[in-house]
Amino acid sequence: MAVFFRTRRTARTAAAVSAAALVAAGAAVSAFVLQPAQAAPAPRAAHELTLAAVKQVDTEPARIAVGDSWVTYLKVYDDHGAKVGDGSARCSAVLVTRNGAITQCQRVLRTADGDLALSAMIDRFGSGPFKGKSAVVGGTGRYAGASGEAQVVMDGRKVSFRIRLAH
């Protein structure tokens, strides 16, 4: 958009106002930048959970084909064998060969402290047990905003989780 001024005096006044505004903005930015930095909060220590689960329901087909999806319902126990909650998984086969499959799974582990959500792609080649890493992608309650990584081991009806939370 072009701006036209009727007189040179109006143009000089507009230029002076613009220059003053730029100086004021620069001073405000300098004042902000030169303020002493506030100390960042200390990062929370990592927290590790060890959970075991037993499949109660599993709709995985006997012969997996690409695109097959299934659900699993789990009872979840702590490392002392006490029942602490339940969980679920929804998995889909994304690649199938004569040696096995690669599956993409979303899991939710539900405890009295809150839920943990996990997401992974796991290779399931051979006869098992099948192992893989899973991302901790969120949570509720005590685990709200959770992030981290979980080692998942599937051995028949048993599933174990070693979860390292970054917060």
Side-chain angles (χ1 to χ4, degrees):
M1 173 171 103
V3 177
F4 297 99
F5 299 102
R6 291 184 183 246
T7 67
R8 283 188 173 173
R9 182 175 180 190
T10 305
R12 281 193 303 264
T13 303
V17 169
S18 295
L22 283 174
V23 169
V29 168
S30 295
F32 177 75
V33 170
L34 297 176
Q35 290 294 322
Q38 301 252 347
R44 293 184 187 174
H47 179 70
E48 192 164 311
L49 293 169
T50 302
L51 301 171
V54 177
K55 293 179 183 179
Q56 302 299 300
V57 174
D58 189 358
T59 64
E60 180 181 336
R63 294 182 56 82
I64 299 171
V66 171
D68 284 349
S69 291
W70 57 93
V71 295
T72 305
Y73 176 74
L74 310 161
K75 286 188 180 176
V76 178
Y77 302 88
D78 67 13
D79 53 356
H80 302 292
K83 185 174 185 249
V84 294
D86 62 357
S88 66
R90 178 167 184 82
C91 298
S92 298
V94 296
L95 176 71
V96 177
T97 71
R98 62 184 169 149
N99 298 320
I102 297 175
T103 59
Q104 180 182 15
C105 297
Q106 314 308 314
R107 292 180 174 86
V108 176
L109 303 176
R110 186 168 60 167
T111 71
D113 290 334
D115 297 355
L116 276 170
L118 310 174
S119 181
M121 281 184 54
I122 295 181
D123 296 344
R124 297 168 50 138
F125 295 107
S127 60
F130 306 113
K131 301 175 184 179
K133 289 186 178 175
S134 199
V136 176
V137 295
T140 65
R142 178 179 177 196
Y143 308 113
S147 62
E149 185 174 276
Q151 180 69 34
V152 180
V153 178
M154 297 172 290
D155 191 5
R157 290 187 57 228
K158 297 178 183 177
V159 183
S160 64
F161 301 91
R162 194 165 128 222
I163 304 167
R164 185 168 173 83
L165 299 173
H167 89 289

